[in-house]
Amino acid sequence: MHVPDGFIDAPVSVAAGVFAAGAVAVSLRGARRELDERTAPLAGLVAAFIFAVQMLNFPVAAGTSGHLMGGALAAILVGPCTAVLCLSVVLLLQGIFFADGGLTALGVNITVMGVVTVIVAYAVFRLLTGLLPRTRRSATASAFVAALVSVPASAAAFTLLYWIGGTTDIPIGKVFTAMVGVHVLIGIGEAVITALTVGAVLAVRPDLVHGVQGSLAAPLKLRIDGELVDAPAATRDPEPARRSTRGFWITGLVSALLLAGFVSFYASADPDGLERVAADQGIDEKVAEHGAADSPLADYGVGDIANARLSGGLAGVIGVSATVVVGTGVFWVIRRREEEPGDAPHDRDHENA
């Protein structure tokens, strides 16, 4: 659901940009508490994986497709603040280099695809994991529901912005019904992808899933005077926290490259939910040409390569590579700032206050 230029008027686009910038600023500070030396590079990997999977449009209805938004997936794996930054990196690179999502609509896209999906999904996930038994199966099911709810919530957020600043005079009730209706179907696909991915990570490295940290492993019990009591923290196995993430990172990167470079060729070519609703309802009457339409990577293809399979695959590989480099660099900088001697004590005092 990448909103192009021309759907939302300038004042609302600017306001959304200011809101998105504020959300990114808050997330930069929050991510410093979520990231450590292991998860900083993994956050870059999550951004690259989302970029790759967003290329895999899947059919949801006759002539309509959908793709992963990724807010729920990122929030559960690396935390809500880091997730907002992951989506912002992806959307920025998509807009500048691949002409996907308007440049003046970047704030709108970060708001509806990054901020709204992350907040809604993480809130639902934490609510459900707090109510359900603390098992991997419950966590996976919670991820499914959280992702499912986050997509129509994002569609509703777009509808609200369109109601305030839409460039065409369309009855808002029709827009809301069409947007939420099709995005419920897309949300099912999002939920399946999110649940499968979260479940796979939980199966091999549950210690790397931010949303369930400390909640899945039952505390070690000792029998004292005939009663079972929690073991002291010092006697619990600290080994998972020291396990290397190199193999996991390499596997994830290879998977993202394969998805973007090869599997994406078989993605649905049908318009996504927003494009279909825009065409059916007349929202796209004033759509503007993308500012990066002349980019050599526009529309996820390398301009000088005639072979569609090779062109699209190479563009996908370039996109994943750029995303993992930029994302990892951003998160390493954030993490290093947390480790600065003059800064860390201040943050710890603030957190203790």
Side-chain angles (χ1 to χ4, degrees):
M1 191 177 67
H2 294 74
V3 181
D5 296 322
F7 278 21
I8 307 295
D9 64 22
V12 175
S13 294
V14 170
V18 172
F19 175 83
V24 169
V26 172
S27 298
L28 282 169
R29 186 168 184 84
R32 294 166 64 186
R33 296 188 293 271
E34 294 173 350
L35 297 170
D36 57 31
E37 66 279 359
R38 298 178 309 138
T39 56
L42 292 178
L45 175 63
V46 168
F49 185 80
I50 289 173
F51 180 97
V53 181
Q54 283 193 0
M55 294 181 65
L56 308 181
N57 280 48
F58 49 85
V60 296
T64 307
S65 70
H67 63 73
L68 181 82
M69 290 191 189
L73 178 61
I76 295 167
L77 291 181
V78 294
C81 292
T82 306
V84 170
L85 301 181
C86 284
L87 269 295
S88 298
V89 168
V90 171
L91 292 168
L92 180 63
L93 292 178
Q94 288 173 334
I96 293 176
F97 296 108
F98 297 89
D100 192 8
L103 296 179
T104 61
L106 180 61
V108 173
N109 282 314
I110 291 176
T111 298
V112 300
M113 291 183 64
V115 180
V116 172
T117 57
V118 167
I119 292 175
V120 171
Y122 197 68
V124 172
F125 181 79
R126 292 307 299 262
L127 174 63
L128 292 177
T129 53
L131 296 174
L132 297 175
R134 295 182 176 183
T135 64
R136 293 177 184 175
R137 182 174 298 179
S138 295
T140 303
S142 299
F144 182 95
V145 176
L148 175 60
V149 173
S150 71
V151 176
S154 177
F158 167 79
T159 305
L160 175 62
L161 293 178
Y162 188 81
W163 178 50
I164 299 172
T167 55
T168 55
D169 187 15
I170 307 295
I172 198 62
K174 290 184 177 181
V175 176
F176 178 82
T177 301
M179 282 293 294
V180 173
V182 73
H183 282 88
V184 167
L185 299 178
I186 295 173
I188 297 173
E190 175 107 10
V192 171
I193 296 171
T194 301
L196 288 175
T197 306
V198 171
V201 178
L202 284 172
V204 295
R205 291 298 302 267
D207 58 303
L208 298 180
V209 180
H210 180 277
V212 298
Q213 283 183 358
S215 65
L216 289 184
L220 179 65
K221 298 287 187 178
L222 296 178
R223 186 175 295 277
I224 300 177
D225 295 332
E227 295 184 3
L228 289 176
V229 298
D230 289 345
T235 68
R236 299 174 192 171
D237 183 12
E239 186 62 25
R242 296 199 299 264
R243 290 173 59 189
S244 172
T245 60
R246 180 178 300 177
F248 182 87
W249 191 91
I250 293 173
T251 301
L253 180 59
V254 171
S255 300
L257 290 170
L258 289 174
L259 290 172
F262 297 98
V263 181
S264 62
F265 181 77
Y266 301 98
S268 173
D270 291 332
D272 68 17
L274 176 58
E275 292 172 327
R276 171 58 65 187
V277 172
D280 291 346
Q281 302 296 328
I283 294 175
D284 59 355
E285 290 181 3
K286 296 184 179 180
V287 64
E289 183 180 8
H290 199 286
D294 295 331
S295 167
L297 297 173
D299 297 323
Y300 298 94
V302 179
D304 295 332
I305 298 179
N307 184 286
R309 184 189 297 268
L310 180 59
S311 176
L314 183 57
V317 169
I318 292 172
V320 168
S321 301
T323 305
V324 78
V325 169
V326 174
T328 302
V330 168
F331 295 121
W332 267 118
V333 169
I334 294 171
R335 181 58 195 165
R336 287 180 64 86
R337 285 196 61 190
E338 171 67 10
E339 294 174 348
E340 289 178 3
D343 198 29
H346 172 78
D347 287 345
R348 285 194 293 269
D349 292 343
H350 178 75
E351 293 173 8
N352 293 334

